[in-house]
Amino acid sequence: MSRAPASGFLYGAHVRANGIRQHYLRFGGTGPAIVIVPGISTAAAQWAFIAERLCIGYDVYVLDVRGRGLSESGPHLNYSLDACASDLVSFAEALGLGPYTLMGHSMGGRIGIRAARWRPSSVEQLILIDPPVSGPGRRAYPIPIEPLLKLLHSAKLGEIDALLRSPSAPRWPEQHIRTKAEWMHTCDERALVEGHKGFHHDDIHRDLAQLSGPTSLIVAGRGDVIRPEDQREILRLLPSIVVKTLEGAGHQMQIDDTEGFLSIVQEFLTRPRDRLDGGVPTLDKQEIGKDVSTTR
């Protein structure tokens, strides 16, 4: 996949949508629209390196979810899944995006699922990146809230660099350590806590069963967020979904294996409608954990 030029970034901007200030970054500016929704503790700036690579031939928007980055935050806000999904729907409508590709990572994937269920005619296709599959009566989300809060508190004190470089921290390239250190302090603590609680209280499986548009799922081979049994259930609920596993990558797969991640995303972007019509085989129930892995 060719690299986008440095000029791929156009601007950052704010729009008032769903009654709040929403901040976003825009890349490319021409072609079909893609909206990227980051995860629970991630600002739009941390996905800029992916948007730079995707924006050749695409109009890419990276959204700061409420309570993160430069979007509105504070004690007056509701940080529920419904509120975040309503933000996304209103954001796309306020910018007049029309049918767009919705790509959500982790919590952003759950937001995308609900938004796509609410506005199926607005979403050209949905690309889910390792969304938590916890919920009522299900196993807990495997990543606890405490390390996130520790990072947040250290970031607010200006002491996050040491934590991000500790022996127990992920071995990220310097670029990503610096970006995380710069933006982590913008997270609203209640947004993190309420978002994490929502992983266990909100039932996205009911939403999955009602999706009608082309949907794809990328699973982290080392993430433990989505297990083979979870994939089997997802397939029962949404037989048309296409599943790819990025072996060797953890939950932050866009950092762990950037090239492998982009290769899968590009495949999904170029053939969205064929998959819904049966042109590309979906994952067979018996094949989960065997033939669907993509190793990079």
Side-chain angles (χ1 to χ4, degrees):
M1 184 175 182
S2 59
R3 291 184 177 273
S7 60
F9 173 66
L10 296 178
Y11 55 81
H14 296 87
V15 62
R16 188 159 190 84
N18 197 34
I20 70 165
R21 184 190 74 251
Q22 298 193 49
H23 176 259
Y24 64 96
L25 304 176
R26 188 180 183 187
F27 298 77
T30 60
I34 300 174
V35 177
I36 298 176
V37 186
I40 188 170
S41 65
T42 305
Q46 292 168 256
W47 276 82
F49 76 108
I50 293 295
E52 285 276 11
R53 298 286 300 277
L54 293 178
C55 71
I56 298 178
Y58 292 96
D59 191 11
V60 184
Y61 299 78
V62 190
L63 181 64
D64 270 330
V65 178
R66 61 168 59 197
R68 289 92 174 164
L70 300 181
S71 285
E72 190 167 338
S73 65
H76 62 293
L77 287 186
N78 176 354
Y79 289 117
S80 68
L81 175 61
D82 279 353
C84 294
S86 294
D87 285 349
L88 175 56
V89 169
S90 297
F91 168 79
E93 291 175 350
L95 269 59
L97 295 185
Y100 60 94
T101 291
L102 176 49
M103 188 166 79
H105 173 248
S106 192
M107 183 188 76
R110 291 169 68 93
I111 294 171
I113 290 169
R114 185 143 297 179
R117 194 200 93 196
W118 285 349
R119 293 289 191 278
S121 62
S122 298
V123 178
E124 180 73 19
Q125 68 165 321
L126 178 62
I127 300 176
L128 304 173
I129 307 163
D130 220 35
V133 291
S134 46
R138 301 177 181 277
R139 64 182 174 87
Y141 180 57
I143 303 174
I145 187 63
E146 288 76 18
L148 281 181
L149 296 180
K150 184 177 181 181
L151 274 179
L152 176 60
H153 296 159
S154 66
K156 289 185 179 295
L157 293 172
E159 300 173 346
I160 192 173
D161 285 71
L163 275 180
L164 293 175
R165 291 180 169 85
S166 67
S168 60
R171 300 294 89 192
W172 285 359
E174 183 67 14
Q175 165 197 357
H176 299 297
I177 292 175
R178 288 187 176 278
T179 308
K180 185 72 171 180
E182 179 183 4
W183 287 95
M184 183 69 197
H185 78 95
T186 67
C187 293
D188 183 292
E189 181 170 342
R190 191 166 59 86
L192 299 187
V193 172
E194 293 303 316
H196 196 272
K197 286 180 180 177
F199 291 167
H200 304 89
H201 298 159
D202 296 310
D203 186 359
I204 61 156
H205 293 78
R206 294 178 62 183
D207 299 287
L208 279 169
Q210 298 181 55
L211 295 181
S212 57
T215 304
S216 306
L217 169 65
I218 311 176
V219 176
R222 293 191 296 104
D224 196 40
V225 172
I226 300 178
R227 298 174 181 175
E229 59 268 29
D230 301 318
Q231 295 183 45
R232 286 191 286 270
E233 181 177 13
I234 290 169
L235 272 166
R236 287 195 296 270
L237 295 170
L238 187 62
S240 64
I241 195 169
V242 178
V243 182
K244 294 281 187 178
T245 299
L246 188 56
E247 297 291 359
H251 187 54
Q252 300 294 334
M253 65 179 80
Q254 75 281 5
I255 295 175
D256 291 346
D257 184 358
T258 301
E259 299 305 320
F261 172 75
L262 285 168
S263 177
I264 294 174
V265 170
Q266 186 63 32
E267 177 186 342
F268 290 160
L269 288 174
T270 54
R271 301 174 72 177
R273 285 297 178 193
D274 289 347
R275 291 197 302 276
L276 186 64
D277 298 335
V280 176
T282 57
L283 179 67
D284 185 77
K285 296 188 181 86
Q286 286 74 32
E287 291 178 316
I288 295 176
K290 183 178 67 174
D291 299 329
V292 298
S293 301
T294 300
T295 304
R296 305 288 173 188

